[in-house]
Every structure is written in C-alpha cells, then in structure tokens.
Amino acid sequence: MPDTRAAATALATGERTFIRPFRGEDADEFTASARESRHLHRPWLFPPDQPDAYAAYAARLADDRDRHGFLVCATFDGRIAGFINVNNIVMGAMRGGALGYGVFAHAAGRGLMSEGLGLVMGQVFGPLGLHRLEACIQPTNTASIALVRRAGFRLEGFSPDFLFIDGAWRDHERWAITSDMVPAGTS
Ligand SMILES: CC(C)(COP(=O)(O)OP(=O)(O)OC[C@H]1O[C@@H](n2cnc3c(N)ncnc32)[C@H](O)[C@@H]1OP(=O)(O)O)[C@@H](O)C(=O)NCCC(=O)NCCS
C-alpha cells in the first residue's frame, strides 16, 4: 500500500521512482532495510542500521547546509529503494558536491537507483545550483562505477589513500559530471 503522506513530499518523480527527503518516521523502514542489505553494502558503505543512529544521520542531513539527502522510493508501492546523498557541498567558485549512495537489497539490480540518480541530478543542477557533482569510488566497486558511468560521469583521476573506510585508507577513482555534460531535460 503506497504511503501517500510520504509520496506527497516528493521532490521529483520519474517513471518508476520518486525522490523525497529523509523523515524521522522512516527510521524503522530504513534501518530494517539497511540491516537486510549489509551483505551488499559492505565493505563500501556503513549506513545507519539502528533507529538512534538513523535519527542523528537524518538530523544532520536536514540541518547541515553542506549536504542534502534523498530517499529513492518505488512509485509502485512507495517503499524506500535506496538513498542518495550529496555531501561536502562547497559554493563560491566551486559549486560542487560529492555523492554517497546505496541501494537496499530488495530493490537492487532493477535500474531504480539509475533512475533515482537522474532525479537527484535534476535537483543538483537545478534548484541546488551546483556546477559539478563527483563520486569517489574504490576501483574494485564495479556496481558503483557502472551506476555513475551510466549516468554520464567521466573518470577524472585516481587518488591513492583518499578516504578512510573500513579501517584503512583506500585508493579511489574520482568520477564527476559538470552541468554542461548533463543531457537536456535532466535539470
Ligand atoms: C552502487 C549501487 C547503488 C548500484 O545499485 P543498482 O541497483 O545496481 O543500480 P541500478 O539501479 O543502476 O541497477 C543496475 C542494474 O539494473 C539493471 N536494469 C534493469 N532495468 C534497468 C533500467 N531500466 N535502467 C537501468 N538499469 C536497469 C541493469 O542492467 C543493472 O543490472 P546488472 O547489475 O546485472 O548489470 C549498489 O550496488 C550498492 O548499493 N552498492 C553498495 C554501496 C556502494 O557501493 N555505494 C557507493 C560507494 S562509492
């Protein structure tokens, strides 16, 4: 049964998904899905999987001016398919942000995150007014590289020991897209 109150907060809608802000009342659904998806997320990602951690995470996304969080939901039933965050937003001469994302196991491999990322890019290059969006990805994370490649990102470079993840400094590829590269109609 679609959650009509949640759907009413949609920021953008596609054929199979819509994106909306994180809400406090999503804690149980989000954290249950995160626990069911640990095998898929690790060792790349460690989203909150307990309600108190979710509350702090959602509050930071709502309060901080340098990040925005989007839940990707299936239009069919309103269920949360995954999430896409834009972190480290810097305005001024840069107008850039960095992506973080994860799909939940029940929605993986169906193209829902690809559609959701297109909707988020519409927000990033539309209302948020950014010029550049980057995704820093460990070279062996093929599913993540496939997602951004499909969205039109280009490989800009390689940074050794770039981020501290899962107990060690990890090499990352830096993928990015600038507003001039975005297909017409996305923003
Ligand atoms: C990266 C991640 C979000 C990608 O999720 P996903 O569900 O695979 O992404 P998509 O929505 O693009 O789905 C792609 C798959 O759907 C298929 N698909 C089906 N219909 C599709 C459609 N209409 N459009 C696009 N793809 C479609 C694609 O063929 C692809 O399948 P394949 O993997 O067998 O080639 C997911 O793997 C994940 O959460 N990984 C762990 C966390 C992580 O690495 N985060 C990023 C750290 S940098």
Side-chain angles (χ1 to χ4, degrees):
M1 177 71 136
D3 178 346
T4 49
R5 280 201 317 126
T9 66
L11 297 162
T13 304
E15 281 181 22
R16 297 193 294 150
T17 62
F18 62 90
I19 55 170
R20 64 174 177 82
F22 284 65
R23 303 176 308 167
E25 58 258 57
D26 297 315
D28 288 343
E29 180 183 351
F30 187 101
T31 56
S33 293
R35 290 192 297 274
E36 287 164 7
S37 308
R38 276 185 193 141
H39 63 287
L40 187 65
H41 291 161
R42 295 187 180 174
W44 321 113
L45 192 70
F46 299 81
D49 60 7
Q50 298 299 328
D52 54 346
Y54 173 90
Y57 182 85
R60 274 200 308 277
L61 287 169
D63 296 344
D64 291 0
R65 295 180 63 184
D66 64 353
R67 68 184 93 200
H68 282 274
F70 302 93
L71 292 175
V72 178
C73 301
T75 313
F76 167 66
D77 58 2
R79 201 168 169 195
I80 301 169
F83 56 96
I84 301 176
N85 298 336
V86 183
N87 300 309
N88 302 340
I89 295 174
V90 177
M91 296 307 281
M94 176 168 265
R95 281 197 281 143
L99 279 176
Y101 43 74
V103 72
F104 289 139
H106 66 84
R110 291 167 47 197
L112 300 179
M113 290 300 286
S114 281
E115 187 179 291
L117 179 55
L119 297 176
V120 169
M121 286 164 58
Q123 298 292 302
V124 163
F125 296 118
L128 294 184
L130 297 190
H131 164 70
R132 178 175 172 279
L133 185 61
E134 75 175 7
C136 299
I137 306 175
Q138 295 181 58
T140 50
N141 190 348
T142 51
S144 183
I145 290 171
L147 177 70
V148 298
R149 195 194 291 276
R150 206 166 15 241
F153 286 51
R154 70 182 159 203
L155 179 60
E156 290 187 341
F158 176 81
S159 295
D161 289 352
F162 187 61
L163 292 174
F164 194 80
I165 296 175
D166 197 22
W169 291 99
R170 309 287 178 183
D171 299 346
H172 280 71
E173 294 180 359
R174 294 189 322 280
W175 290 78
I177 189 165
T178 50
S179 52
D180 53 300
M181 295 165 61
V182 175
T186 305
S187 58

